[in-house]
Amino acid sequence: MNKPKMTTEKGVPSNSRVLMLLGQLERLNREAMLADAEIGRQITAKILHLIQTQEKTRKEIMSKGSSGMEVILATLENTQDLQTILNILYILNELLTVGGGRRVGVFVSKGGTGILLQLVLSGSKDSPPSEELMLQLHSLLAKVGPKDRKFGVKARLNGALNVTVNLLKQNLQNHKLLLPCLQVLRVYSSNSVNAVSLGKNGVLELMFKIIGPYNKKNTSLLKVSLDTLGALLKSKTNARRAVDRAHVPVLLYIYQDWHRNDTRHRHMLIRKGVLGCLKNITNIKLGRKAFIDADGMRILYNTSTECLPVRTLDPLINTSSLIMRKCFPKNRLPLPTIKSVFHHQLPHVPAGGPVAQLYNQPLGVDDVVDESDDNDDVETENDTENEEEDKDHHAMNDDIETDINKLRPKETHSRPFEELKIYERFFLELSEDFQRFNFDNPKSGVTATAAAPKSQRLIIVPTAQALPPKYPTAAPLQEERHLAKGEQPHPEASPLAPAPTPAPVHTLDTINITKDHDGCCDHSQVRPQPEQEQELVQGMERVALEGTGPQGGAGGGVNRHYRQPPLLAGGVAARQGGGAEETLAEEWAEEEGGEGAVLEVPDTALLLPLHDPDLYVEMVKSTRSVPQYSEVAYPDYFGHVAPTFREHILERVYGVQRTKIFQDIERLIHPNDILDKVVYDLDIQSCPVIDDGESLKFNSQFESGNLRKAIQVRKFEYDLVLNSDINSNHYHQWFYFEVSGMRVGAPYRFNIINCEKSNSQFNYGMQVLMYSVQEAISGRPRWVRTGTDICYYKNHFSRSSIAAGGQKGKSYYTMTFSMTFNHKDDVCYFAYHYPYTYSTLKMHLQKLEALRTPQIYMRQDVLCETLGGNSCPLLTITAMPESTSNDQICQFRNRPLVFLSARVHPGETNASWVMKGTLEFLMGSSPLAHSLREAYIFKIVPMLNPDGVVNGNHRCSLSGEDLNRQWQSPSPELHPTIYHTKSLLQYLAAIQRAPLVFCDYHGHSRKKNVFMYGCSLKETVWQTNISATSCELHEDLGYRTLPKILSQTAPAFSMASCSFVVERSKEATARVVVWREIGVQRSYTMESTLCGCDQGKYKGLQIGTRELEEMGAQFCVALLRLKRLTSPLELRNHAHLLDVESDLIETRCKVTSSSPSTYVLEDEEHSFMEEVDYSAESGDEPDIDPDTADPHDNRLSDSESNNHRDSLT
């Protein structure tokens, strides 16, 4: 070793005594005089005395610039005198005991670890080895080891590993030496190779000789032994060895004994150490089986239950919960197949991909069961705690596009103009001369494409109480209606018709009624008056509107009668503006002693100008669904009036997840308490509702509905299974279903058990939505946020590798919430988010058409027909020219275009509510709206995926594919809406009229606020390591202007959440394709939260339809401001808004030191007091499948999830 020269730090007195002694020691080293052992002993003894008595001495030795540590280590390496060595070891122990990790770091950096290990090896050759020397060496190594990342490798290569093991074996009763040896072994074992080697050398058995039942003596020794054992058991080999030697029952016995005797909870760390050992053993399949066989589930469940009242024991409860969840036997989903219960035959099957695999799957293959559990240790040996080095290997974001050529707009058009010319008919406004237009009656000059023909099929409208038996038909109501208009009554409608004759054929314009008495469709009652309650509990029924068609005819013997209008809940006739119906209903009520009292549905026309129940039913008639839905859900029929009160983000109750998980574990421990009764099953097509009068009744057979199966687990608990998207075997997230037959005040729990995402805003304060029919009839027709004890966690239902894209060992997630109903015999609907059906869109468009004023140019075309036979509407909105003068017509034709689209993902219903706000603003009469129409021509596709919306899909169309991944090469047969929408944009690019702004409205499931994704060459390159010249990165920063304006005007919008990075996985999305291929610089995806806001005016509030519609209107205002800012006359006055370079830097993503290509936006969720564990293994990475992951939330969901996973580890 080089002989160091003693130096002093500036400011330290050169005559300091310790520095003088160190100088003498340095001379001894330099002059090789260490043979004179006595001098060395004296000097080191004096230094030790100074260090023990004077704190400043330690600081002088360890101060910056001082070479004191080097001198001490050189002496330690060169001397052969035992006492000198011991003195120096004492000195080092004193120096490293205080001062934190910095001093240890200095020691390691000077090569101290290697010197100590060499001394261990040389000291072991003495016979017998010096106990004091070994004690001091191992005490120092225990301090140094955790700070030296190569400690385990050094010890193994040096041979010190075996020395420590032999020392341990020879001193099992010498507790003074045993403790530091165990501490060093614990550090050795953190290296996986060392752990296997130590296991082979019998260290595992040694540990079990040291640990034992409850004993107040030597608790420190026991604690270190358990930590060492836990580290050894992270190795699969050692875990198998422990199972083979029947150590699992021993550990359970030890844990029980300590739990029973440690009544004052003074030894929680020992109990946690035992659990840590069990946790590592159960990382392998054999360990889980041994744990179950040893009755581990019951033992840990009972001990954890007893710990619940003591908050300080939460670490024990959490670890026990993790072990039990891991060992809970994997179950298959209670389904015959994971494929959707509905099927739609495609015109042709794609050559490859998930849909092709689905179609090519052999018959008889069980696609539900997961065979992966037969493969040992598939899911658990990813422990990042095994090697400290692994902690720095975070999942790198390799998704960012690094090919600059792919980040530049294409210069050539991919399709010939002759092929695109057919789309000219959708742009009549670009050639309109208005010569034949009557400006005195402008509405006659703008026409819309004819609506699709009405479908002749049975439609069931929500209604309620059956009529009294003595009035079996409603013919008088029909007769009164016609007589009121001065018409002749229909003779066949008479209740006195003598004989049952075949029902005449009627179109849907003649409204008929079906009463279903078979019990399958029995529904509950509205809130009655007290004296009527007993008579009104028989249940709500439905009224059917029948016409000829596949479901017409005799209807299986069900009596059909004509009646109009349809009844609403409680025997209420829908208000039609006349009084004859009400009078007749009142007469019935009087004759029956108040049995059928009329509770009139409030008129919400003033509050909902775009809603009309009768018009909605008309729209439903022409809507085509794969299941051929014939029912109308109450919320869609009645409408939704946004509540005036605030709905705060739900504060998470401490321990709620733990409580829910323990209730799940009880199913295994007390199986006799589980009912396991199927009460709703769409796989039983004949009668999916199983009604025995004791259970809740479920239904999802209506437009946008999604619930496949309901299983009653306990008296007030139900497991719910969602249906996958049609022609798919996953995408379970959207739900919309009806519940009836509830008991008032009962604590119901609902578990949706086949969710797929690894994280959800349900863990961050989001609540489900509920619509109560009782409340609606009482004058409050609205969706409200509801549910308590909401949490989202990994469950014990395994996903088959078929469903998980070939990955094995994946599990589903449970979203659970509790609910107490307030009304007897209510009918309630639950939804993932505010429903917005395709029929609702058609109704709104027709109402908007009626609102058009002479100043508004509005045209509605049918862009194309979908796979399911539904039309895809295309809207054109702008301002009418003031006259037919050349200047006016020229200004009209040359307005810049704005292209908007929404609802490509059916489950993102918030996108439709934002679009509704945009459309209402555009059709409004305000000066701003008028200015906006004069500034732009709007081309709008308000629903890109009508089929997915109608059939209750979450993400796909009937093709089974995510339409927002098909923009690069859409198929006209499989993706018609995307193909033709892209063709519209290609046509505009071909005629040099590319839109100024393109925006696709979406919803985001794992982030808060409203924000945008855009496209930037510069910002993308910033997140990569590729080198590029400044000219290659040149781009106009105008793409940031619109989001910046929105951040200043829209309360829900967050600029900090915006991103302008282009990723490979998003290259086929609308935003990227329109930016790259069409050349639209301002091409965006606007994401709206499903949960709420954590900034601005709405901070702490859940988002509602009012805020979403406001966002749509604010987007319009921002476009108007953008127009003014980009106008040459206005540019000078508002230059500060376009100078976004500095702002761009401020909001730039943070680049992590461990991975230069990983970027994280600053929007991580706050920590909870309760440790939130999403998985069954605390070391798991979030399992996001490329097929199932939300394309907009890969990175941010990881940050949310990891935030809490970090708190666990």
Side-chain angles (χ1 to χ4, degrees), residues 103 343 389 473 578 580 630 743 801 845 903 955 1040 1105:
R103 291 186 180 181
H343 176 72
E389 294 91 335
T473 74
S630 59
R743 295 187 185 181
S801 58
L845 293 183
R903 207 68 185 281
R955 197 166 189 83
R1040 274 185 166 260
T1105 56

Side-chain angles (χ1 to χ4, degrees), residues 526-538:
V526 301
R527 183 197 305 172
Q529 302 298 328
E531 65 271 11
Q532 301 161 352
E533 188 169 298
Q534 296 303 315
E535 298 299 328
L536 293 179
V537 296
Q538 284 141 35

Side-chain angles (χ1 to χ4, degrees), residues 64 97 239 275 300 335 348 446 451 461 517 528 549 571 616 673 715 747 771 788 793 827 844 904 925 965 997 1047 1122:
K64 254 185 179 180
T97 298
L275 289 176
L300 289 196
L335 296 174
H348 70 266
V446 182
V461 177
H517 297 289
Y616 181 80
D673 297 343
K715 186 174 182 180
Y771 192 105
T788 57
Y793 55 88
V827 174
H844 284 166
V904 70
S925 57
R965 291 295 185 276
V997 173
S1047 71
L1122 175 70

